[in-house]
Amino acid sequence: MSELPRHNLPAEPNRFVGRERDVGDLRRLMGETRVVTLCGVGGIGKTRLAVRVAAGLLPSYPGGVWLAELAGVGRPELVERELAGVLGVRDEAGRPLLDTVVARLRGQPCLLLLDNCEHLVERCAEVVAALIAACPPLNVMATSREPLRIASELVWRVPPLELPPVTGRPDAESVRLFLDRAAAAGTRLGPGSMPDVARLCRALDGLPLAIELAAARTSLLSPGQIADRVDDRFALLTTGGRTAPARQRTLLRAVEWSHDLLSAKEQVLLRRLAVFAGAFDLDLAEQVCAEPPISEAEIVDLLGGLVDKSLVLCDEGRARYWLLETIKRYAAGRLDTAGEREILRERHLGALCELQEHHFATELVEPGVPWEGRLEALTTSRILADDQRVALGWAAESGNPALGLRLCAAGTALLPVGGNPSEIVAWTERLLALDLSEVPGGRIARAEACLAYGLEARDELDRSLEVAGRSLARLPPGDVFTRCAVHSVMAVVLLRMGRPDEALPHAQECLALATRSGDAWNQAAGLAGLSAVALTRGRLREAERHGEEALARAREHGHRWIMARTAAQLGSVAEARGDLVTARSRYELAVPWLRELGDDLELARCLARIGRVAAMSREFGVARERLAASRALAGAAGQRQDMARCLAGLSVLAECEGDLAGAVLAAAAAATLRASIGRYPATTRIEELLGRARARLGEGRTTSLWSRGRAMHPDDAARHVLESELLAAGTPVVTGPVRHSLLTAREQEVAGLLTRGLSNRAIAEELVISPATVARHIANIMEKLGYTSRAQIAVWAAEHPRASA
């Protein structure tokens, strides 16, 4: 007699990819817990994971492992009938069918797998509770969009597949699944496709159904083409298998299945949550989404329902919530269809203004706030960065510069602690270009103050000074904090431009205003400015006195950014005094504060200073490490001033290590960068360096090295010192005579301009010719002189100034 089957699990239709840890965790849980419900959004892979786990548990259940597929069961009263059919028991007259099912399951240990309970969740909960109570050997695993909510249940949220880093990693779960399913579709993808595959998997949130549907498209489109079209994912991802359940054949059907199970008010809230670009909390959801037919008091329960139904995700403490991108795009479509987009966008913009103003005041303006409170305000403000971008975009799109500029001033006045200067410049300029006839002058002035700060941080010194002057002229007298901040920016800009006499009154006014108002932040900023002015003038005692007072006021305020800035200023004073030990300790004091704040720009500057001092102290390993880190941060941020500071430090390191040629190259590259941002390139140290180089290397070679450094890319100059490279043999210093008459007068002009490191476009603007003509002249010069690079021409022109004059 043949043995009866011990399970009805289907064979896997294709290879099971990833989730090794999930499978192991769930198998262990089934040995400890009687009811486990796998919850997750549609397409997350609940069924496939549950079947995989159940198949591995067959030896543990002598009574069998039985799968009941409930997706096709339309009415609650049919749940018991489906179970009876799966277990092979028949209805008996006069006996409830559930009792018959209980009798079948009371014997040996069994595992019952209930798949897709969400549309019958209340009846499924009743049945499972009854079975568990009556059948001690029974374990139940269920899959559902939402929990059963019975006493014996453990809810296990099915996570998306592991995402790769931006560069792509073939062993990430989502990438492995995509590659496997693409291969099944007949597409073999090589390493060159990995960045696009990674981009696509990240855009699809690691959602298995979406990834499988995307992989099926590789028979027609490359991963890059699919990723470029993924914004229209519901129209694109429509190629599911013909034998798959209808809800799994397209991404749209999968999401609609979940949406249609929501109550009417849950559907309203879900579509309104699409206005949020990033994570949000309950308070923000209540501020933005409470609009008839939903009241503010209902939001908490409705949001909880959406979390339970796996359409909204949350952290463990339910402090912050977010939507998967696929759900968000579906909800956004529903928002447009409902005609609510404009009103929700306006509410979102207004709420962001209020929140960011509150965070700004807490972090910088209000006295007596402990550091933990200031840091929390900064952190929360940063979490809202994506939402701020969306809100600013709406302000520009809808022509609302008043609220847009208000948000610029509030949400980006936090620039001193690691904001993005280019972004604030772009947003503020875009909004200031709108019709400002109904915008109060004070609001415009505050936005211009932020713009001035962004321009200074972006090295646009002339424009920063101009915008700051306009802001100061129209700021209302009562806005003391902003007035102090503008004076501080102007002092910084003027010092960077080498104009300390003009910077002095701005630093003094900043300090005077801040002292009268009791503003410790700007007192510290004003004193730091006075210290910098005194240092520029060589008044070291005065500079130290102001610097010590600045640090004291900064500690009084408690914000670690202004503490770091004033500590670094004291480091500069000690360095000028020749006290390298104190200088290093002051600079190092700022590093952990800046790391905690995530302010990479200021950290790059501080690390460059530490590297320079360490080099002068002959601690070359420390110097190289700090300067390499500074270079990486400055390069990632694209900040010319920070890269120039790093190159200056590398010049000191090279000379201290005996590489005088490398020191000249790095100093020249730094001078070019400084000149490009309007800062005076000549310093006492450079003149002294060139003097030592001329004495040891000769006038001609020093001039050639300087010219070559001026033409070098900053990365190449930095690499030369950090990697101790020798000058490339392919670009020799030219020392032999060249017949000047070989070049035309215009070619000589072009050659001379190459010594300044100008691009073709810059040369064209200088000579009022086209860039194509410049390129033709350079090609002619190379042919006539026998050279192969612009650097060789620049070296030759520097050594023959009369020929290129």
Side-chain angles (χ1 to χ4, degrees), residues 47-280:
T47 298
R48 191 70 189 270
L49 176 59
V51 170
R52 181 75 168 188
V53 171
L57 292 172
L58 279 170
S60 303
Y61 294 98
V65 175
W66 308 104
L67 167 64
E69 297 177 330
L70 303 178
V73 177
R75 300 198 308 275
E77 63 269 19
L78 298 180
V79 171
E80 295 99 315
R81 190 165 301 281
E82 182 67 22
L83 291 178
V86 166
L87 296 170
V89 299
R90 295 182 179 180
D91 197 357
E92 297 180 21
R95 186 183 188 187
L97 185 56
L98 186 58
D99 289 352
T100 307
V101 172
V102 167
R104 167 67 176 81
L105 295 173
R106 268 190 181 142
Q108 294 178 307
C110 296
L111 174 61
L112 184 61
L113 174 52
L114 301 182
D115 188 33
N116 291 297
C117 299
E118 54 271 354
H119 60 305
L120 306 165
V121 67
E122 291 187 9
R123 185 56 185 157
C124 285
E126 294 167 355
V127 168
V128 171
L131 292 175
I132 288 295
C135 307
L138 177 67
N139 283 61
V140 175
M141 186 188 307
T143 74
S144 177
R145 263 67 160 187
E146 62 178 306
L148 302 180
R149 293 202 197 95
I150 59 177
S152 52
E153 177 187 34
L154 184 147
V155 178
W156 201 86
R157 299 282 176 183
V158 180
L161 292 178
E162 175 196 20
L163 294 174
V166 176
T167 53
R169 199 181 77 217
D171 62 333
E173 288 179 335
S174 55
V175 173
R176 286 163 52 199
L177 178 64
F178 184 89
L179 295 177
D180 183 86
R181 300 306 192 250
T187 307
R188 301 285 176 180
L189 299 172
S193 299
M194 287 305 103
D196 284 331
V197 172
R199 179 162 61 100
L200 179 56
C201 289
R202 293 175 69 85
L204 296 175
D205 303 306
L207 197 65
L209 175 62
I211 291 171
E212 295 203 18
L213 294 172
R217 281 291 189 190
T218 56
S219 59
L220 296 173
L221 302 170
S222 70
Q225 290 172 316
I226 299 172
D228 291 341
R229 292 166 169 78
V230 79
D231 283 353
D232 194 16
R233 63 192 65 195
F234 296 116
L236 179 68
L237 305 181
T238 58
T239 53
R242 292 188 179 92
T243 59
R247 68 184 184 281
Q248 295 179 3
R249 292 179 193 171
T250 73
L251 186 60
L252 179 60
R253 291 291 296 275
V255 178
E256 283 180 335
W257 168 266
S258 296
H259 176 267
D260 291 347
L261 295 174
L262 300 176
S263 69
K265 288 189 175 181
E266 286 175 334
Q267 291 179 354
V268 172
L269 179 58
L270 179 65
R271 72 180 181 237
R272 290 179 179 177
L273 294 177
V275 299
F276 297 118
F280 55 91

Side-chain angles (χ1 to χ4, degrees), residues 193-459:
S193 299
M194 287 305 103
D196 284 331
V197 172
R199 179 162 61 100
L200 179 56
C201 289
R202 293 175 69 85
L204 296 175
D205 303 306
L207 197 65
L209 175 62
I211 291 171
E212 295 203 18
L213 294 172
R217 281 291 189 190
T218 56
S219 59
L220 296 173
L221 302 170
S222 70
Q225 290 172 316
I226 299 172
D228 291 341
R229 292 166 169 78
V230 79
D231 283 353
D232 194 16
R233 63 192 65 195
F234 296 116
L236 179 68
L237 305 181
T238 58
T239 53
R242 292 188 179 92
T243 59
R247 68 184 184 281
Q248 295 179 3
R249 292 179 193 171
T250 73
L251 186 60
L252 179 60
R253 291 291 296 275
V255 178
E256 283 180 335
W257 168 266
S258 296
H259 176 267
D260 291 347
L261 295 174
L262 300 176
S263 69
K265 288 189 175 181
E266 286 175 334
Q267 291 179 354
V268 172
L269 179 58
L270 179 65
R271 72 180 181 237
R272 290 179 179 177
L273 294 177
V275 299
F276 297 118
F280 55 91
D281 60 18
L282 176 61
D283 289 342
L284 187 56
E286 289 173 337
Q287 281 182 265
V288 175
C289 300
E291 181 80 14
I294 298 177
S295 68
E296 183 174 322
E298 292 177 293
I299 297 287
V300 61
D301 287 335
L302 292 173
L303 187 58
L306 292 175
V307 170
D308 284 346
K309 295 174 177 64
S310 307
L311 288 167
V312 174
L313 305 180
C314 65
D315 58 24
E316 289 185 5
R318 291 204 175 189
R320 303 205 68 78
Y321 303 83
W322 65 94
L323 277 66
L324 292 176
E325 189 63 26
T326 295
I327 302 301
K328 186 185 299 182
R329 290 188 181 276
Y330 177 82
R334 289 278 179 170
L335 189 68
D336 285 342
T337 301
E340 292 183 333
R341 177 173 176 265
E342 291 190 8
I343 188 171
L344 264 292
R345 286 288 174 213
E346 283 296 319
R347 291 177 67 93
H348 180 254
L349 173 58
L352 261 291
C353 285
E354 292 181 13
L355 272 176
Q356 294 292 52
E357 285 173 344
H358 170 72
H359 296 320
F360 170 59
T362 301
E363 189 198 354
L364 298 180
V365 181
E366 294 176 3
V369 178
W371 168 239
E372 292 74 16
R374 297 193 191 279
L375 182 60
E376 182 181 357
L378 169 62
T379 302
T380 307
S381 178
R382 285 177 172 170
I383 289 172
L384 294 170
D386 287 339
D387 275 283
Q388 180 172 312
R389 294 183 185 101
V390 168
L392 288 172
W394 173 250
E397 177 188 339
S398 62
N400 189 345
L403 278 184
L405 292 174
R406 179 181 162 195
L407 182 54
C408 277
T412 53
L414 306 179
L415 270 170
V417 288
N420 184 330
S422 294
E423 188 168 18
I424 182 50
V425 167
W427 281 120
T428 310
E429 289 185 330
R430 182 178 174 187
L431 289 161
L432 286 173
L434 300 177
D435 180 6
L436 305 178
S437 57
E438 297 184 7
V439 181
R443 186 164 295 175
I444 297 172
R446 283 187 287 275
E448 287 176 329
C450 289
L451 177 59
Y453 190 97
L455 290 168
E456 184 274 327
R458 210 169 69 164
D459 301 327

Side-chain angles (χ1 to χ4, degrees), residues 488-507:
S488 179
V489 169
M490 295 180 80
V492 169
V493 171
L494 289 164
L495 280 168
R496 289 184 61 186
M497 297 173 78
R499 295 154 62 180
D501 291 343
E502 296 174 65
L504 178 60
H506 290 289

